[in-house]
Amino acid sequence: MGQAERVLQNFAVRNGKGRVTLKLRRTPGSPGSPGAETPSPGLFMLATHAVLRCRTMVLMYVWYACSLVYYGLTMNASEDKGNRYLSVAMYGLVELPAYPLCIYFINKSWSGRRKSLAGFLILAGLCCLLSMAVPVQSGSVASGSSLALLGKLMVSAAFNIVYVYTSELYPTIIRNAGLGVCSMSCRVGGILAPFVPSLKVLHASMPFTVFCLIGVTAGALGLLLPETLNKPVAETLEELSAPAYQRILETQVHLLEEEHLSKRKGSGSK
């Protein structure tokens, strides 16, 4: 604690704030605080804690949906008419615009992480739905293959967002366990993805029907999660039930009190 206070005081001096009096205090439940339990929360805390249980169930399905639709559309590229090698290359190149697209949307206040993730998943499902109604025509822009490529673009952006979003939803002390469980669910979707294109033996539209239903339902469930844009990441389990802005306000009030005291001492010495 003493070293952290000295580092913050050094930052204040370099930023032109002068030598401020700063006193840090431990949050309840943090490691080393009085009354804190020494053992860290384990994997079973994801099932026993009410907030974590709800988030984990939704995130596991979202990760599963992203993996199933992502790899399913990629493996279904070989079934398209025309040049097979060109189709597979296009399904890979269409991911490049997804990176700047998701970076732009997740940092906007009107979209954020939650709406961006849900929107991309729902759009991916709708593209798969429309691709069944539009015939596959080589050389045409508005064809089933083009809509499938657009769906791959949408789910690629959602896949990128879910990594960032999941890390911000879990507290620091249990983040590794949460990411591990979600990654396990993601691998299950990847295992089942190769079998979805083979559903064409039942009906030609069956694979895209599965992609549509899973993408839309995952996007709808993603709206149940809280927004994390411009909000502090929880460090302990106790902070999950506290207002997200509480720690920021406490820090600001504490710094204002210290600044006011330092000004009073400076005026008193004069």
Side-chain angles (χ1 to χ4, degrees), residues 39-171:
S40 58
L43 188 63
F44 291 102
M45 186 60 67
L46 297 175
T48 56
H49 195 280
V51 178
L52 291 179
R53 180 171 63 249
C54 179
R55 293 185 183 183
T56 302
M57 292 176 62
V58 174
L59 286 173
M60 285 181 66
Y61 185 74
V62 170
W63 279 69
Y64 166 80
C66 288
S67 179
L68 183 67
V69 178
Y70 178 88
Y71 292 110
L73 288 175
T74 303
M75 295 177 182
N76 194 64
S78 60
E79 304 293 333
D80 292 345
K81 297 179 181 179
N83 192 328
R84 180 178 300 179
Y85 301 102
L86 179 61
S87 298
V88 175
M90 290 300 297
Y91 273 86
L93 292 174
V94 78
E95 297 183 28
L96 296 179
Y99 295 103
L101 195 64
C102 66
I103 292 174
Y104 174 79
F105 279 100
I106 64 175
N107 292 317
K108 295 298 180 179
S109 58
W110 48 268
S111 57
R113 275 79 157 138
R114 181 174 65 96
K115 293 180 181 179
S116 298
L117 176 64
F120 282 128
L121 284 173
I122 293 175
L123 287 176
L126 293 179
C127 289
C128 293
L129 177 64
L130 294 176
S131 64
M132 296 184 294
V134 180
V136 178
Q137 299 176 357
S138 58
S140 177
V141 177
S143 64
S145 299
S146 300
L147 290 172
L149 285 172
L150 185 59
K152 177 66 181 301
L153 171 65
M154 296 293 107
V155 75
S156 299
F159 218 153
N160 295 326
I161 295 173
V162 75
Y163 278 93
V164 179
Y165 193 30
T166 304
S167 301
E168 295 176 347
L169 285 174
Y170 283 109

Side-chain angles (χ1 to χ4, degrees), residues 178-228:
L179 284 172
V181 171
C182 293
S183 180
M184 178 192 67
S185 177
C186 176
R187 306 311 159 200
V188 174
I191 292 172
L192 298 179
F195 300 100
V196 179
S198 62
L199 293 176
K200 284 186 175 181
V201 297
L202 301 177
H203 195 273
S205 62
M206 188 60 67
F208 285 99
T209 303
V210 174
F211 296 147
C212 171
L213 292 177
I214 292 180
V216 172
T217 53
L221 286 176
L223 293 174
L224 300 176
L225 298 171
E227 180 58 60
T228 59

Side-chain angles (χ1 to χ4, degrees), residues 205-254:
S205 62
M206 188 60 67
F208 285 99
T209 303
V210 174
F211 296 147
C212 171
L213 292 177
I214 292 180
V216 172
T217 53
L221 286 176
L223 293 174
L224 300 176
L225 298 171
E227 180 58 60
T228 59
L229 179 64
N230 297 329
K231 294 182 179 179
V233 179
E235 298 180 1
T236 62
L237 297 178
E238 289 76 10
E239 294 180 4
L240 288 177
S241 56
Y245 53 85
Q246 181 176 354
R247 288 195 296 121
I248 293 182
L249 291 178
E250 287 182 353
T251 304
Q252 291 177 348
V253 170
H254 186 64

